[in-house]
Amino acid sequence: MIVVICAAVLYVTLAQRVTDIQRVEVSDGKALVELDGQRLQLVALLRSLPEFSEKLIDRSALEQHLAGAPADGVFVDSSDLVEEPDMLPSYTALNAFFDRQSVINGLLEADEIALAVRDADSAENQALRVETLPVMPSRPIGSLPSAFWIQFGAGFLTLTIAAFFMALKPSHPPVVAFAMAGVGVAGAAFSAGIYSTRHMALDPALFVPLSAINQFFTFTFGVATIYLFAIYPVVVMRRKWLWPVSVLSLVFLLLYRMQLAPHDVVSTQNVIMLMLVAIVALVIAQYRATRQDPASRAVLLWLGLSVIMGAGAFVIFVAVPVVLGFDVLVTQSVAFIPLAGIYVGTALAIARFRLFDLGRWAYRILLYAATIGLLFAIDASMIMLLRISPTTSLAIAVALAGIAYLPLRDFFFDRIFRSGMPDLAELYRRTVSVALQPNAVARDAAWIAALDTTFSPMHIERTGGSAENVSPVILDEGEKMLVPSIGGLPTLTLSYAAQGRRLFNNQDAALAGELSALIVTTIADRTSYERGVEEERHRIARDLHDEVGSTLLSGLHATEEARRQECIVDALSDIRQIASGLAGRDVTLASLVAQMRHESRTRAELQGFTLDWPLNETDEGALTLPYRLHRNFHAIHREALSNALNHGVPGVIRVRSSLREQVLSHEIVNTCSTDEPTGSDRRSNAQFRRMGSRNMQARAEQLGGALQTWQSGGQHGVRLEFAVSEPAQ
């Protein structure tokens, strides 16, 4: 059916007789045409007669001829090219318009037509030039102007959407009203597309019915929209009170067409303005009625925006200037674009497609539309009232609209767009508080409290399922938001944001996702911290058991007093290092080397050895060593020194340390006996050295370094190399 209607519109449009005139327009009350690339003023349309075969003709002579033979031609008036005859100021002008259309159409019925023209900028008394043009029986489709395709596209779009929704819910009252509104827009657009883009004239036998059809469908759109707002999103007016709207619209239509009532009372533009007032009143009533229903309020916001952008634009730029007796600000074809926008917006509202995201967009678009409307209003006011030139008035209007726009923008953004934005510091505090709760029950309660404080939902329910790593999602068109399980927390469903005053939107889902991610990160950090604490506890316990305990046990079983004291000193040193690591005190390389030198000299002198460990760059280093490094380094040094004291020949123990490119080299060399031990002494000595070497190798691996031992020429040495940390800042 839609294809048939579109084909019929195209057929009627293309069946019009046309000439080679490329363009026809009105400027400063003159009818201008474009012919062979020249811009000319069209003064009269004439029959192709021998009397007009002269190339030049005087206007007064032409007036005398047409006064005696009015069927031979007609002087062209700017009203002959008006888009919409209903914009004419009176019945007299309307009747004269159709009479002249009849004459011009009769001239186009011939094979040729003569045009009396002159240069567009010439004086009124200049002689007229006669141009004879052939008349083509049909209109090429490529010659149709953009105005036709705009109206044709608007009609096709609205009619297609209306048919689609009627097919889905043919008995649903809001859908029926919606579809009838679409039929109204389509009928008005199709009919206006035919006669508003006529070449020069249209047969009144076709023009008058098309004009009546256009008015009927325009009223149909208004009545259907009033009916829609009366019952949707909620019922604010009973249906029995709506039938007078249809009856009155039909009465106004008949009175206007039969010219039985004053023109200024029943004109199409006046009725359109009254319908818009009724629509706005119903929008206000719907706004009050949906204050406790966020889903319906979201629908209404988008519907209200559509009305303001569409019908409001049509009334302000087309209907109001006509009622006030001024030229329209935009052409009727352009005015169909916002009218089609109303229908698309209504379709989105009824389909309830992602309406939870439309609220803020509605306010934003409304702000921009108000600014544009203010710009046009100022411009039109200065042109109409102050008679300022269009260029000057536009410049002033841009300046004034810009001045008004800035405070309006700040007001709307502060009061609407930025209202309710959570404080980032407060959000961080809430999420960290959730992660740091002592147990799972407390974490669940803190998470629910954080969501309640952030979104103020009417209900928070635990939902089955424990799937993690899923982003929050909007449910039921924004009435609910599902927050999935994260970090062991429960899956929650939040209902009706802001205590039911609004719907959840994508911004809410993104914020909930950020909160969830922050909690996951904080929980992971806490888990890592607790794991580190646990590992540190195990390390301390291991060091106390394996090193301090074994050292004290060795001292307990020692038979020599010197050995017993040495074990006690080593145990105290171990305890001091463990306590230092537990307290988190920084240990620098210089302080560690100084401590090791002091302990080594004390131990060496107690057993009759001499320590040779001169000062070097390690005593001046500002390196801070972590516990792992200084603990293992100290233990390797002490083990190597113990081997030198226990198995070496009394004499000098030479220790050398150096630091090159963040690599520490440490070497201990002592004199050893060249005589090989025998019997049990040999076995115990070898076993002890193997045990000590394995311990030092294990600690060197923990350092990520390399340990070498050697013996040659009565000298035994141990060399350790490992990378150290960066200097402390």
Side-chain angles (χ1 to χ4, degrees):
M1 179 60 70
I2 297 176
V3 175
V4 173
I5 294 174
C6 292
V9 171
L10 279 174
Y11 174 79
V12 174
T13 304
L14 297 177
Q16 300 176 26
R17 298 176 67 84
V18 296
T19 66
D20 288 334
I21 297 176
Q22 285 86 29
R23 186 177 179 183
V24 182
E25 62 181 15
V26 176
S27 177
D28 296 330
K30 299 178 181 179
L32 303 179
V33 298
E34 187 174 318
L35 186 62
D36 296 331
Q38 291 183 317
R39 196 162 181 263
L40 305 171
Q41 179 186 355
L42 179 61
V43 178
L45 292 170
L46 310 169
R47 291 186 184 277
S48 180
L49 299 174
E51 293 87 339
F52 305 135
S53 60
E54 299 292 335
K55 288 296 182 182
L56 295 177
I57 186 172
D58 186 68
R59 180 184 175 93
S60 59
L62 181 60
E63 290 176 347
Q64 292 178 0
H65 178 87
L66 294 181
D72 288 346
V74 61
F75 282 99
V76 177
D77 187 79
S78 60
S79 63
D80 294 329
L81 304 179
V82 69
E83 274 190 315
E84 177 56 65
D86 291 337
M87 296 179 181
L88 295 173
S90 64
Y91 292 132
T92 302
L94 182 64
N95 295 333
F97 169 81
F98 284 118
D99 290 340
R100 296 169 65 81
Q101 286 287 299
S102 179
V103 174
I104 297 173
N105 184 71
L107 297 175
L108 290 172
E109 293 296 330
D111 294 334
E112 292 182 332
I113 188 172
L115 280 66
V117 298
R118 61 185 170 202
D119 293 339
D121 300 326
S122 62
E124 291 293 331
N125 58 0
Q126 182 181 359
L128 304 177
R129 186 170 80 248
V130 177
E131 298 284 349
T132 302
L133 300 177
V135 178
M136 293 178 287
S138 62
R139 194 172 190 177
I141 192 170
S143 67
L144 295 178
S146 59
F148 171 81
W149 293 113
I150 290 174
Q151 295 172 98
F152 184 84
F156 175 78
L157 175 66
T158 53
L159 193 59
T160 301
I161 297 177
F164 174 76
F165 277 92
M166 277 296 292
L168 292 178
K169 292 185 177 181
S171 60
H172 190 49
V175 173
V176 174
F178 168 74
M180 291 306 299
V183 171
V185 173
F190 284 143
S191 56
I194 296 174
Y195 64 73
S196 66
T197 59
R198 63 192 180 279
H199 180 61
M200 283 187 294
L202 196 63
D203 187 357
L206 177 62
F207 203 155
V208 173
L210 285 176
S211 178
I213 290 172
N214 176 268
Q215 185 179 10
F216 173 80
F217 281 110
T218 300
F219 287 0
T220 299
F221 167 77
V223 171
T225 305
I226 290 173
Y227 184 86
L228 178 64
F229 276 110
I231 64 172
Y232 188 82
V234 297
V235 177
V236 295
M237 182 180 292
R238 295 182 179 180
R239 298 181 189 178
K240 67 179 182 179
W241 299 109
L242 294 174
W243 67 265
V245 178
S246 302
V247 173
L248 287 175
S249 299
L250 182 60
V251 169
F252 276 113
L253 174 64
L254 294 176
L255 291 176
Y256 179 79
R257 288 297 157 185
M258 299 175 67
Q259 302 183 4
L260 298 177
H263 181 275
D264 293 338
V265 175
V266 295
S267 68
T268 304
Q269 314 305 326
N270 288 337
V271 176
I272 291 174
M273 292 178 62
L274 290 175
M275 287 182 172
L276 179 62
V277 171
I279 291 171
V280 171
L282 288 172
V283 169
I284 295 174
Q286 287 282 0
Y287 189 85
R288 293 176 58 85
T290 57
R291 57 183 177 272
Q292 298 297 329
D293 187 351
S296 298
R297 175 65 64 85
V299 174
L300 181 65
L301 283 175
W302 193 246
L303 285 174
L305 172 67
S306 300
V307 170
I308 293 173
M309 290 289 291
F314 184 87
V315 170
I316 292 174
F317 300 138
V318 177
V320 171
V322 171
V323 172
L324 297 178
F326 299 105
D327 293 335
V328 296
L329 299 179
V330 298
T331 62
Q332 179 174 267
S333 59
V334 173
F336 270 101
I337 296 177
L339 280 176
I342 291 179
Y343 200 74
V344 174
T346 307
L348 288 173
I350 291 182
R352 300 167 71 92
F353 174 69
R354 298 179 67 85
L355 284 174
F356 42 84
D357 274 339
L358 294 182
R360 289 179 177 267
W361 280 107
Y363 285 123
R364 290 177 186 272
I365 298 175
L366 179 59
L367 174 61
Y368 300 143
T371 304
I372 296 173
L374 179 63
L375 173 64
F376 277 101
I378 296 174
D379 186 28
S381 299
M382 286 187 291
I383 292 176
M384 296 176 182
L385 302 179
L386 303 180
R387 304 298 179 183
I388 301 176
S389 66
T391 303
T392 305
S393 66
L394 181 60
I396 298 174
V398 169
L400 294 178
I403 294 173
Y405 168 74
L406 293 177
L408 278 176
R409 183 194 64 180
D410 292 340
F411 173 79
F412 274 92
F413 271 78
D414 289 337
R415 295 294 299 273
I416 298 175
F417 304 144
R418 296 173 186 166
S419 62
M421 291 295 292
D423 181 67
L424 295 180
E426 179 63 18
L427 287 179
Y428 180 77
R429 186 193 65 79
R430 294 173 195 165
T431 53
V432 171
S433 175
V434 173
L436 298 182
Q437 293 301 314
N439 52 60
V441 175
R443 279 196 295 271
D444 292 354
W447 177 226
I448 293 174
L451 292 175
D452 182 67
T453 305
T454 303
F455 301 106
S456 298
M458 293 184 68
H459 307 288
I460 299 180
E461 299 177 358
R462 293 174 180 260
T463 306
S466 59
E468 297 195 9
N469 300 324
V470 179
S471 300
V473 293
I474 304 298
L475 303 176
D476 297 339
E477 302 159 0
E479 293 182 357
K480 298 180 181 180
M481 180 172 66
L482 177 68
V483 181
S485 172
I486 46 100
L489 297 173
T491 301
L492 301 174
T493 300
L494 283 61
S495 303
Y496 301 105
Q499 293 298 307
R501 292 190 299 273
R502 67 176 182 87
L503 299 176
F504 288 104
N505 53 45
N506 279 346
Q507 187 176 9
D508 294 327
L511 178 58
E514 291 295 331
L515 293 179
S516 300
L518 185 57
I519 287 179
V520 169
T521 302
T522 308
I523 291 177
D525 291 343
R526 176 181 176 173
T527 302
S528 178
Y529 170 78
E530 291 177 345
R531 186 183 301 112
V533 170
E534 188 66 22
E535 291 176 355
E536 186 70 7
R537 288 173 179 170
H538 284 295
R539 179 191 60 76
I540 294 172
R542 184 176 60 252
D543 288 346
L544 289 173
H545 178 271
D546 295 346
E547 298 183 17
V548 177
S550 63
T551 303
L552 290 176
L553 186 61
S554 298
L556 182 63
H557 293 286
T559 58
E560 299 178 359
E561 182 64 24
R563 176 58 181 164
R564 185 178 296 110
Q565 291 182 3
E566 180 183 352
C567 290
I568 293 174
V569 170
D570 290 345
L572 290 175
S573 177
D574 288 337
I575 293 173
R576 185 164 52 251
Q577 278 194 318
I578 293 172
S580 177
L582 184 62
R585 291 193 294 268
D586 293 337
V587 176
T588 63
L589 177 61
S591 64
L592 178 63
V593 169
Q595 177 186 348
M596 291 165 57
R597 181 184 288 112
H598 174 72
E599 292 179 359
S600 300
R601 179 171 287 108
T602 301
R603 292 180 60 189
E605 291 176 353
L606 285 175
Q607 298 190 35
F609 286 80
T610 301
L611 182 69
D612 178 17
W613 190 349
L615 298 175
N616 52 44
E617 64 271 13
T618 59
D619 293 276
E620 300 176 357
L623 285 171
T624 299
L625 301 180
Y627 178 83
R628 178 180 61 86
L629 292 184
H630 73 74
R631 181 78 183 96
N632 288 300
F633 175 38
H634 193 179
I636 292 174
H637 169 80
R638 191 170 58 194
E639 185 74 27
L641 182 64
S642 296
N643 289 340
L645 294 175
N646 293 329
H647 307 289
V649 176
V652 178
I653 299 177
R654 184 169 55 86
V655 180
R656 296 291 184 270
S657 299
S658 64
L659 183 64
R660 297 288 186 274
E661 297 180 355
Q662 303 301 312
V663 175
L664 179 65
S665 298
H666 187 70
E667 186 178 50
I668 302 175
V669 180
N670 66 284
T671 304
C672 63
S673 175
T674 57
D675 298 333
E676 290 292 333
T678 60
S680 61
D681 292 338
R682 178 177 182 177
R683 287 193 299 270
S684 61
N685 188 24
Q687 183 179 5
F688 186 84
R689 284 181 175 273
R690 285 196 300 270
M691 181 65 70
S693 178
R694 283 198 298 268
N695 290 339
M696 288 190 293
Q697 288 289 354
R699 289 188 178 277
E701 291 177 0
Q702 294 180 22
L703 286 173
L707 180 74
Q708 296 178 347
T709 60
W710 54 270
Q711 184 170 333
S712 175
Q715 298 288 317
H716 180 271
V718 177
R719 181 179 180 83
L720 172 67
E721 288 187 353
F722 65 95
V724 295
S725 60
E726 294 292 332
Q729 299 296 322

